[in-house]
Amino acid sequence: MDKINNLLEAVLLPDGSLLLEWETTKKRPGKSTRVLQQEMYTLFEREPRNWLLFLGFADPTVFLSPSLDFWRRFSNLFVRHLRLTPDLNELRHLVQVSPPEEELARLLERVPPMVGGEHLTAELIRTFWASLNYSFSAVIKDFHGTIGEFIHHYSPNSHLLGRIYFHLVENPDGEYPFAFLATYSTTMGGDGKSRHLPLKYALQEYREDNDKLLELLSTAYQAARDSELISDLLESNELFAPLAWSSREAYIFLQEVPLYEEAGILCRIPDWWKSRQTGIKVRLSLGQQQPAMVGLAALLDFSPRLMIEDEEISSEEAARLLSQVDGLAFIKNKWVAVDREKLEQTLLAYEKARKLAEQGGLSLGEAMRLQLQSDKGLIQTDDPDIIEVEQGQWLQSMFSSLANPAQLPVVKPDTTFKAKLRPYQEDGLRWLCSLHSLGLGACLADDMGLGKTVQVLGFLNILSPGTPSLLVIPASLLANWQQEINRFWPKMNVFYAHPSMHKSHRVKAPGKDGLKGVDLVITTYALVQRYDWLQETHWRYVILDEAQAIKNPGTKQTRSVKQLTCENRIAMTGTPVENRLSDLWSIVDFINPGLLGTSAEFTSFCKKMVDHPDGFGRLRRMIAPFVLRRLKTDKTIISDLPDKVELKVWADMSRKQLVVYQKLVDDITDMLEDSDGIQRKGTILAALT
């Protein structure tokens, strides 16, 4: 295997451990990516306990696979909070970096599709945070230099938190509404405890030791290299005095806070800036009332509003802000960041939304696509952050109930259905019936062994008799479905559209009334393409088992399945995403056609997520109502499942088998001696298969 055509992927195992694996890719990664990948893989093999910590020091601008990039962003977050820990040099291996709950929650919302990603929970992410803390403590305990030297060695552009702090607070003075003060930590008190003093006192404390003063100011000089504001303050000595600032000066300072923190200066700033909710946005309130019809075409009522956090402003008030220069403006008793270009886009989007509301509204499908890609809808904008979609009472109630199937109305199969359902299977049945009542497709993605088949059979039993449904499965599952039907619903009227299930080994196309009274027709993916009458029949439901069979949207098999006409659709799969997001697009496009846009639009969206990982969160929230996935490892779902038992059974080989086996071992040994690490892995895997 040629390692230059591989991406390194992170895999999360059910036991909560991380694994790194090579994945072949069509596009050759760049040199920086290949170097960083190989470095991380070598560390993973050599130091499995510490590789994740060192990933946190990696250059965030170098491209990595989305799964590995997520863990780099997680580890980068730990390293950033580590660097900004006061007195880190004194604490060394005793340091405890508290997990930043809000930042970790935002990170969890942006988890990209990765193998085992469903196992990642808030509790597990905190466990990984604690393991990073443990790894750092163990590594630094054996490191003989300073913490600053350690961090600089692994990340030359990063700087340890110094003793200087920048403070910005609001000031009642109307002309200069902000106050700035630089402080430093010192132990000059008689009790020896550290305290904060205005920076001007450092001139007195170190008046006879210029070297110590320069050492204290090192982080400020570092920031001044990239900041004209701090450079001017140092040159004029104004950094050593309290300052009254205009909103323009405060705006420049706030924009540069990340730069100061990177230099090693901790900044105390107003909470309203930290929340990043200081701009004006268009909030679309959708689905206050239940629509007259169901399905993705259902027309939702909606109303657009201009909002600053939870305060509504008029378009006239927003337009007045355009006359101001970029910076901070005080409106509705709060400070607002004014970006003229962004504000112009916001007002334009508001006008489009207002006209659209007057014309009748948005369909449910259009509304959901708007949440995913605001630049690909009826209200187009280059900046998706300026539009917020707020669910109205009916829509919020609908999505909330689908997210909590146990709260949905109870449904019961009739007495001909013999299965005794587990509680989570009853929840799945409620969920399927609720989506049916809404005219929306469903993807039942429960882990293998949790009983997807019995849930779907229970759902079909509840459906009122009439038009038959079609089940498409791999040929290898024919016997299994027949067995499950005979066991759970023996009175079900089934027609098998497969020659192996007929004595004549031929399937005769049923006539006009040939399917009368039939509950379910079962066929295979291959035969959907061959039997014209399957395409010509209008089905109640089309149900796919092992729906990953249509993950490639360009194949004839996928096109044949999607051309089937029906009232609604269900996909069953234990692996909704196997290798790439296009797998998910094809399945979701089957159950709810058009929900994720066209294949080209979705591909464009996925490319943007490389630089804007928040898109993963929007995608997850968008498809969540239509995908139900429960895991065997979740004890709240199933607690009486016995643990896996592994037995090693040794089988003796015959003399002839020993000769063949020894020859194979010798051949592989010769090949391994002439190959590198990745090629060795490929050779061994090829031999095993």
Side-chain angles (χ1 to χ4, degrees), residues 155-388:
S155 182
N157 294 324
S158 297
H159 299 274
L160 193 63
L161 176 67
R163 293 164 53 200
I164 292 181
Y165 295 71
F166 287 167
H167 307 258
L168 183 73
V169 296
E170 294 181 51
N171 183 16
D173 189 333
E175 186 177 358
Y176 296 100
F178 292 92
F180 169 81
L181 179 67
T183 66
Y184 76 110
S185 60
T186 179
T187 56
M188 64 182 300
D191 55 5
K193 293 183 178 180
S194 178
R195 64 193 65 192
H196 283 272
L197 295 174
L199 193 57
K200 67 177 182 179
Y201 290 106
L203 299 177
Q204 301 175 18
E205 183 177 351
Y206 300 117
R207 58 182 177 272
E208 296 180 358
D209 195 335
N210 195 53
D211 289 340
K212 283 194 174 182
L213 180 62
L214 290 175
E215 181 185 348
L216 172 68
L217 297 175
S218 61
T219 52
Y221 282 112
Q222 178 65 36
R225 295 178 185 177
D226 300 307
S227 169
E228 185 178 345
L229 174 65
I230 303 302
S231 178
D232 290 344
L233 292 178
L234 277 170
E235 190 173 340
S236 63
N237 283 331
E238 289 183 307
L239 188 66
F240 298 93
L243 299 174
W245 272 357
S246 67
S247 59
R248 177 63 180 166
E249 291 169 311
Y251 184 61
I252 294 173
F253 172 84
L254 289 169
Q255 287 183 306
E256 292 185 346
V257 163
L259 184 154
Y260 307 148
E261 291 187 338
E262 189 61 35
I265 298 170
L266 194 60
C267 299
R268 310 294 190 188
I269 58 177
D271 290 338
W272 49 260
W273 180 266
K274 295 177 185 177
S275 69
R276 289 290 190 265
Q277 300 296 318
T278 58
I280 299 175
K281 298 187 177 184
V282 180
R283 183 174 296 173
L284 303 178
S285 182
L286 292 158
Q288 187 68 21
Q289 305 295 329
Q290 183 171 351
M293 60 178 290
V294 296
L296 291 180
L299 203 60
L300 300 181
D301 63 281
F302 88 103
S303 58
R305 293 176 294 164
L306 288 170
M307 305 293 293
I308 301 174
E309 295 184 354
D310 292 326
E311 288 280 346
E312 183 177 1
I313 66 169
S314 67
S315 56
E316 291 78 15
E317 288 174 311
R320 280 199 297 271
L321 291 177
L322 281 176
S323 61
Q324 301 187 21
V325 295
D326 285 354
L328 297 172
F330 195 70
I331 183 172
K332 296 289 184 181
N333 293 317
K334 54 173 61 72
W335 286 99
V336 180
V338 178
D339 181 322
R340 287 180 57 84
E341 182 179 350
K342 191 171 184 177
L343 184 54
E344 286 175 350
Q345 289 185 41
T346 304
L347 289 173
L348 183 61
Y350 172 74
E351 287 302 316
K352 288 180 180 179
R354 190 177 59 80
K355 291 178 181 178
L356 193 59
E358 293 174 354
Q359 294 169 4
L362 291 173
S363 70
L364 176 59
E366 290 169 339
M368 298 193 73
R369 285 194 295 274
L370 182 63
Q371 297 178 65
L372 190 65
Q373 293 197 83
S374 60
D375 59 340
K376 297 291 183 184
L378 298 174
I379 309 173
Q380 294 186 1
T381 172
D382 293 333
D383 187 350
D385 292 333
I386 67 176
I387 293 181
E388 290 181 344

Side-chain angles (χ1 to χ4, degrees), residues 4-176:
I4 65 174
N5 287 325
N6 285 271
L7 277 179
L8 193 58
E9 299 280 356
V11 175
L12 184 60
L13 301 179
D15 64 0
S17 58
L18 272 174
L19 188 68
L20 294 184
E21 290 186 347
W22 294 100
E23 183 72 29
T24 304
T25 180
K26 295 180 181 178
K27 187 177 180 181
R28 177 178 296 184
K31 181 179 179 181
S32 298
T33 298
R34 298 199 305 270
V35 170
L36 180 55
Q37 286 185 155
Q38 190 58 56
E39 181 182 351
M40 285 301 111
Y41 190 75
T42 302
L43 276 170
F44 169 72
E45 290 189 313
R46 186 192 308 155
E47 299 186 53
R49 290 180 177 271
N50 300 326
W51 74 271
L52 190 58
L53 171 67
F54 293 112
L55 181 63
F57 293 99
D59 186 347
T61 64
V62 175
F63 173 79
L64 291 175
S65 66
S67 61
L68 190 55
D69 176 62
F70 170 81
W71 293 106
R72 175 174 58 183
R73 287 185 283 118
F74 168 71
S75 302
N76 278 163
L77 184 62
F78 173 82
V79 170
R80 182 166 69 84
H81 280 269
L82 176 72
R83 288 194 308 102
L84 297 178
T85 301
D87 304 320
L88 184 56
N89 260 321
E90 289 71 26
L91 292 169
R92 287 187 69 86
H93 66 280
L94 299 177
V95 65
Q96 292 294 322
V97 185
S98 299
E101 299 295 345
E102 288 187 11
E103 290 177 278
L104 289 179
R106 286 198 295 270
L107 195 63
L108 269 176
E109 290 179 356
R110 302 175 179 183
V111 179
M114 71 173 76
V115 178
E118 62 266 27
H119 303 297
L120 190 58
T121 62
E123 182 180 359
L124 184 57
I125 204 78
R126 285 192 291 270
T127 300
F128 275 112
W129 185 275
S131 71
L132 285 176
N133 204 136
Y134 177 83
S135 295
F136 173 77
S137 297
V139 171
I140 206 65
K141 196 171 185 179
D142 296 329
F143 186 78
H144 298 298
T146 65
I147 303 288
E149 290 169 343
F150 174 84
I151 290 177
H152 184 74
H153 175 75
Y154 290 102
S155 182
N157 294 324
S158 297
H159 299 274
L160 193 63
L161 176 67
R163 293 164 53 200
I164 292 181
Y165 295 71
F166 287 167
H167 307 258
L168 183 73
V169 296
E170 294 181 51
N171 183 16
D173 189 333
E175 186 177 358
Y176 296 100

Side-chain angles (χ1 to χ4, degrees), residues 626-644:
F626 316 111
V627 180
L628 183 63
R629 180 160 175 78
R630 281 81 62 91
L631 303 174
K632 291 187 298 238
T633 53
D634 187 349
K635 296 301 182 182
T636 64
I637 298 298
I638 184 166
S639 58
D640 59 348
L641 194 68
D643 293 332
K644 180 173 66 175

Side-chain angles (χ1 to χ4, degrees), residues 595-608:
L595 179 64
L596 296 180
T598 66
S599 178
E601 288 172 344
F602 188 71
T603 299
S604 172
F605 169 73
C606 292
K607 288 180 179 177
K608 292 178 182 177

